[in-house]
Amino acid sequence: MKIGISLVFAALVSLSQGQGQAQGQTPAQPGRSTPATCTSMRTRRNAASLSPQEWQSIGNVVNRMAQDGWIGRFGASHDRLFSRVHGNTCFFPFHRRYILEYENIGRTYDPNFVVPYWDATQSARNPMADPLLSANALGTNGQGGNNCLADGIQGNSQLTYPNQHCLRRVYDNNGSIKQWYAPEVISSYIQSDTSLARFREDIEYSLHGAVHLGMGGDMDSGYAAQDFSFMVHHANLDRLWWDWQNTHNSFMMYDGNGSNGPASLSDTIPEDSSVPFNGATVESVMVLGYGNVCYTYDSSPSPPQSYPAAGGGVPANNASPQQPQQQGQGQGQNQQPQQQGQNQQPAQQQQQQQPSPNSNRRPVLSGSSNMANRILENSGIQGALGSDAISRFFPGLNGWRSPARRRSYQEKKVPGCGEPIPFPPRLTPEWVKMHGYDADRVEMFHKHACEIVEVLNNSTYKSPY
């Protein structure tokens, strides 16, 4: 039976109220309210671990949402907000809130529904072999002259936004998919990026774009959210952000430019009437396990014991690859280039967090969700690279093992890209233009990613992936 949209809205109100009920409030700071601790948590699992029956259950929810108009509404809202939530630091909090809203609506159809995450780095060498790109899960490449998706949980779907059309998929390499970003590159970002603005650029210009372009079709559009691939992909990017937050104990860092100028935790997350967020602020989604953000990831740290203090150790200048002290971040279509000092925050947000029960949380030193391979990756890099390369690309490994295990190392400059770790693809000019990115800046970040791969490929490191 269909569930009417009005009934879903009513259920969402009830669900939202229930999720935020507290076991006890964390101590409030002057002038700042703190959200309640979640009384129950759900776990987002690696999508590769789901059974065919679990995928079928997800498909049932997605198809019922489509029948009631929700899939079109999500596609429309993302398209209309596109320029405000890409190319700036709001990229992370917007998509965290967006996936959460999708998940909450899905749970009104099935209370067991949870959006899994797609760790695409695991198939970086050969995306075509990814278990998710099968008839039992997300489906394969589009078929026929219109490249319509004919299998998977959304097989033969007909969409209404922005016009009547089939759900399309067009792999980006003549029927196959170009290689994606290896886990080691993402690991370097997690360990070395000390500001969220920098981490956002590293992720948005790399794995984010590579997967969207690799899938193509509707995924290569502003209304990509109509493809469930979007949801599992962005859940993974959210997982990486959460891992980065834990690694740097920077749960409240929100720097650089937001959707309307200099970023502030009090900013309202951009929303569209088709999928309203009810005025939610950036701070309301910064910490998993508090307020309405009642989920965690199966390969990530659990929520902190107490709600983090304001501020997140925001540096005065966000270093950029190969260009320390470079000012400005990737700009959205409606933003002006950043001026000197524009990314500096009020003193309350720049101050370092005070020691708390969260200070000794174990960092996440790998972008991989494979726990066994994380250890092999970390120990392999630690044993293969010298101190300078470790400090530059994998600083989280300093002290992780005895420095005595490192061999002498001198970086070898190689102009080309090759095995054993695949070099990442460039974003297409069309993708860069659609997002309003600075093309030169995107190229600079791509060269930095290639440099990480070069350093590893020209050492004794053997990737476990």
Side-chain angles (χ1 to χ4, degrees), residues 145-160:
N146 293 324
N147 299 297
C148 297
L149 184 66
D151 55 12
I153 62 171
Q154 289 182 284
N156 301 310
S157 291
Q158 292 295 314
L159 306 175
T160 59

Side-chain angles (χ1 to χ4, degrees), residues 369-426:
S369 59
N370 186 309
M371 308 301 276
N373 281 351
R374 281 183 180 181
I375 297 174
L376 295 175
E377 174 195 336
N378 292 337
S379 60
I381 292 174
Q382 183 70 282
L385 302 188
S387 299
D388 290 346
I390 289 286
S391 296
R392 183 179 178 192
F393 297 109
F394 300 95
L397 297 181
N398 278 320
W400 187 76
R401 284 179 62 187
S402 170
R405 293 185 64 93
R406 299 176 185 157
R407 67 177 180 84
S408 60
Y409 174 86
Q410 184 174 2
E411 185 176 330
K412 180 182 178 182
K413 298 293 184 182
V414 178
C417 294
E419 297 291 336
I421 298 175
F423 277 74
R426 284 182 169 86

Side-chain angles (χ1 to χ4, degrees), residues 51-63 110 113 153:
S51 68
Q53 292 74 25
E54 288 171 315
W55 274 111
Q56 184 176 14
S57 295
I58 289 174
N60 289 339
V61 170
V62 173
N63 289 325
D110 178 354
F113 177 78
I153 62 171

Side-chain angles (χ1 to χ4, degrees), residues 309-315 347-354:
V314 180
Q348 184 185 19
Q349 283 184 239
Q350 286 205 38
Q351 67 185 4
Q352 295 286 341
Q353 293 180 338
Q354 297 300 313

Side-chain angles (χ1 to χ4, degrees), residues 217-458:
D218 280 69
M219 277 287 279
D220 185 11
S221 73
Y223 43 90
Q226 296 182 115
D227 189 333
F228 191 67
S229 303
F230 175 100
M231 299 300 163
V232 293
H233 175 43
H234 275 273
N236 185 54
L237 302 185
D238 182 66
R239 175 186 69 90
L240 295 175
W241 177 27
W242 179 242
D243 287 350
W244 179 88
Q245 289 179 290
N246 278 273
T247 295
H248 297 275
N249 194 30
S250 296
F251 300 97
M252 289 298 173
M253 181 179 285
Y254 186 60
D255 63 329
N257 277 342
S259 59
N260 293 305
S264 171
L265 290 172
S266 62
D267 289 345
T268 300
I269 299 174
E271 60 182 312
D272 181 79
S273 59
S274 57
V275 183
F277 297 159
N278 302 317
T281 65
V282 167
E283 182 172 356
S284 71
V285 299
M286 293 298 284
V287 189
L288 305 192
Y290 292 86
N292 293 330
V293 193
C294 298
Y295 67 87
T296 189
Y297 291 97
D298 61 3
S299 62
S300 298
S302 58
Q305 295 176 10
S306 61
Y307 194 69
V314 180
N317 295 290
N318 295 326
S320 298
Q322 303 174 347
Q323 290 186 279
Q325 309 300 319
Q326 168 110 10
Q327 292 293 323
Q329 300 297 324
Q331 305 297 318
Q333 294 175 348
N334 298 329
Q335 293 178 307
Q336 297 299 317
Q338 214 167 298
Q339 301 298 317
Q340 180 74 23
Q342 188 179 20
N343 69 335
Q344 295 190 13
Q345 303 297 302
Q348 184 185 19
Q349 283 184 239
Q350 286 205 38
Q351 67 185 4
Q352 295 286 341
Q353 293 180 338
Q354 297 300 313
S356 71
N358 307 321
S359 298
N360 295 322
R361 292 174 64 78
R362 191 170 184 176
V364 180
L365 302 178
S366 173
S368 171
S369 59
N370 186 309
M371 308 301 276
N373 281 351
R374 281 183 180 181
I375 297 174
L376 295 175
E377 174 195 336
N378 292 337
S379 60
I381 292 174
Q382 183 70 282
L385 302 188
S387 299
D388 290 346
I390 289 286
S391 296
R392 183 179 178 192
F393 297 109
F394 300 95
L397 297 181
N398 278 320
W400 187 76
R401 284 179 62 187
S402 170
R405 293 185 64 93
R406 299 176 185 157
R407 67 177 180 84
S408 60
Y409 174 86
Q410 184 174 2
E411 185 176 330
K412 180 182 178 182
K413 298 293 184 182
V414 178
C417 294
E419 297 291 336
I421 298 175
F423 277 74
R426 284 182 169 86
L427 300 181
T428 64
E430 294 79 12
W431 182 263
V432 171
K433 182 178 180 181
M434 181 173 78
H435 286 74
Y437 297 152
D438 180 328
D440 291 336
R441 192 165 181 81
V442 171
E443 178 63 18
M444 180 178 67
F445 275 76
H446 180 263
K447 288 181 178 178
H448 178 62
C450 283
E451 189 176 10
I452 296 169
V453 174
E454 278 188 5
V455 165
L456 292 171
N457 282 350
N458 288 284

Side-chain angles (χ1 to χ4, degrees), residues 29-233:
Q29 298 170 26
R32 177 172 177 256
S33 61
T34 56
T37 305
C38 294
T39 56
S40 63
M41 295 282 288
R42 54 187 182 266
T43 300
R44 291 181 178 173
R45 293 167 52 196
N46 188 329
S49 71
L50 302 185
S51 68
Q53 292 74 25
E54 288 171 315
W55 274 111
Q56 184 176 14
S57 295
I58 289 174
N60 289 339
V61 170
V62 173
N63 289 325
R64 292 173 68 187
M65 288 176 64
Q67 292 169 10
D68 286 345
W70 282 112
I71 301 304
R73 292 162 72 93
F74 272 89
S77 65
H78 188 268
D79 192 35
R80 290 194 279 256
L81 295 170
F82 195 84
S83 64
R84 298 183 60 195
V85 299
H86 297 88
N88 62 72
T89 315
C90 192
F91 173 83
F92 278 122
F94 168 80
H95 286 95
R96 177 171 286 178
R97 184 65 179 82
Y98 192 71
I99 304 302
L100 178 61
E101 192 70 17
Y102 188 99
E103 188 171 83
N104 285 344
I105 292 171
R107 289 171 68 81
T108 65
Y109 294 85
D110 178 354
N112 295 315
F113 177 78
V114 179
V115 175
Y117 65 90
W118 181 12
D119 183 2
T121 67
Q122 299 302 292
S123 58
R125 294 179 184 275
N126 181 17
M128 292 289 290
D130 195 295
L132 270 65
L133 300 182
S134 67
N136 290 326
L138 298 178
T140 57
N141 202 9
Q143 304 296 316
N146 293 324
N147 299 297
C148 297
L149 184 66
D151 55 12
I153 62 171
Q154 289 182 284
N156 301 310
S157 291
Q158 292 295 314
L159 306 175
T160 59
Y161 184 88
N163 49 48
Q164 189 76 31
H165 70 283
C166 64
L167 178 59
R168 297 165 298 169
R169 188 166 296 165
V170 186
Y171 290 163
D172 69 343
N173 194 28
N174 296 318
S176 64
I177 302 175
K178 294 178 181 178
Q179 292 176 320
W180 287 335
Y181 277 69
E184 291 90 346
V185 177
I186 307 304
S187 301
S188 178
Y189 297 160
I190 291 174
Q191 293 185 38
S192 63
D193 290 349
T194 57
S195 77
L196 182 58
R198 166 67 183 274
F199 184 64
R200 189 276 307 170
E201 287 192 280
D202 267 328
I203 293 297
E204 191 173 357
Y205 301 158
S206 65
L207 187 63
H208 168 251
V211 172
H212 272 280
L213 289 168
M215 301 290 279
D218 280 69
M219 277 287 279
D220 185 11
S221 73
Y223 43 90
Q226 296 182 115
D227 189 333
F228 191 67
S229 303
F230 175 100
M231 299 300 163
V232 293
H233 175 43

